[in-house]
Amino acid sequence: MKIKKQTISDNISRYLRDQIMTQKLRAGDRIVESQVAKDLGVSQAPVREALLQLEGMGLVESKPYVGCYVLPFNTEIINQAFELRNMLEAYSAEFAVEKMKEQDICEMEEHLQNMWKALDAGDRLTIINEDNNLHAVMVKSVNNPMLLKMWQMSALQWASLTISYYDDMEYIVRSHVKIIELLRKKDLGELKKELKIHFENARGITQTAFAKIRK
């Protein structure tokens, strides 16, 4: 398999993630950067970045002077990942309802419009990217670099996985409409409820996808 040059580390991360979820790479298997780079026809730098993404998802563990190894994977990891994301975004929402400006809301709406256009075009990759971009606006508005880093490590690859395997793409896009409305209204209580529903649905979608690809 050869990887195209666009978003190389993301592609490598998805490739290795799928290898782990389909058990072609099993718990305890060592992932050697140089061998992955050779197999995929890329340099080691994007492989290293991809492994950092997978480590943020809890799929691998890198030990200094030892190497990178696949961790046991099960539905509990999916549960933990989406619980963490809900916690991070609910925390972000507490500050975002006060800090977000109208231009931030408009930026989120632009990402949503791009998602609708991508839906019409059948472009899943753009939907994934714009979904991430939309949520990032709220998290970035808090102006907390540590929070943003934690969110990026825990959120982005799981969002990619959810959307990659889900059939009802219109629901994925439509589910963001109310989040934006509640941010504009500064209704923190309802926003937290909506985010919880949003991520509980995403968790269910991901668990269904996990069950399908493990068959």
Side-chain angles (χ1 to χ4, degrees):
M1 176 181 177
K2 298 294 181 182
I3 294 290
K4 294 181 180 179
K5 296 299 181 183
Q6 304 98 304
T7 59
I8 297 174
S9 62
D10 289 338
N11 283 331
I12 297 170
S13 178
R14 282 193 289 272
Y15 168 73
L16 292 174
R17 180 200 67 199
D18 291 345
Q19 294 281 300
I20 293 169
M21 294 188 70
T22 56
Q23 295 185 303
K24 292 176 182 175
L25 284 171
R26 295 177 178 270
D29 286 352
R30 186 182 180 194
I31 300 178
V32 181
E33 285 182 15
S34 59
Q35 187 59 53
V36 173
K38 181 179 179 181
D39 291 343
L40 301 182
V42 298
S43 66
Q44 286 186 226
V47 175
R48 192 172 302 116
E49 185 176 343
L51 291 175
L52 285 174
Q53 293 177 9
L54 294 177
E55 190 163 18
M57 292 178 72
L59 298 182
V60 303
E61 181 180 20
S62 293
K63 297 181 179 180
Y65 311 111
V66 176
C68 182
Y69 291 86
V70 178
L71 292 173
F73 182 78
N74 51 47
T75 56
E76 186 58 29
I77 292 177
I78 295 173
N79 291 335
Q80 292 170 0
F82 282 100
E83 285 173 5
L84 177 59
R85 183 169 181 189
N86 182 49
M87 288 172 58
L88 292 173
E89 294 209 24
Y91 178 79
S92 298
E94 293 184 14
F95 298 91
V97 292
E98 298 300 330
K99 288 191 173 185
M100 289 189 78
K101 301 176 182 177
E102 179 61 24
Q103 65 188 43
D104 296 319
I105 302 294
C106 290
E107 183 180 349
M108 292 181 76
E109 289 178 331
E110 288 178 11
H111 292 307
L112 179 59
Q113 288 303 312
N114 290 338
M115 290 173 73
W116 284 117
K117 292 175 183 177
L119 177 67
D120 290 338
D123 185 352
R124 283 180 181 255
L125 180 58
T126 295
I127 293 175
I128 290 170
N129 291 336
E130 291 298 333
D131 183 342
N132 291 333
N133 291 339
L134 185 153
H135 284 270
V137 175
M138 184 180 75
V139 180
K140 287 178 180 178
S141 73
V142 179
N143 195 27
N144 183 327
M146 183 65 71
L147 172 65
L148 178 61
K149 185 66 174 177
M150 290 177 65
W151 176 82
Q152 288 172 332
M153 293 297 288
S154 67
L156 301 187
Q157 289 298 314
W158 288 110
S160 169
L161 177 63
T162 300
I163 296 173
S164 294
Y165 289 103
Y166 195 47
D167 294 327
D168 187 0
M169 297 303 293
E170 182 178 348
Y171 168 77
I172 292 288
V173 180
R174 190 174 64 250
S175 65
H176 294 83
V177 173
K178 193 170 183 180
I179 291 173
I180 296 175
E181 289 177 353
L182 293 170
L183 276 167
R184 175 165 270 130
K185 292 178 181 177
K186 299 185 182 299
D187 190 337
L188 178 59
E190 289 301 313
L191 176 58
K192 283 188 172 182
K193 290 179 184 177
E194 187 62 27
L195 286 170
K196 184 176 181 181
I197 292 170
H198 188 76
F199 294 122
E200 283 181 349
N201 288 339
R203 175 171 57 184
I205 292 165
T206 307
Q207 287 175 331
T208 300
F210 172 66
K212 284 182 180 179
I213 63 179
R214 279 289 176 109
K215 287 182 178 179

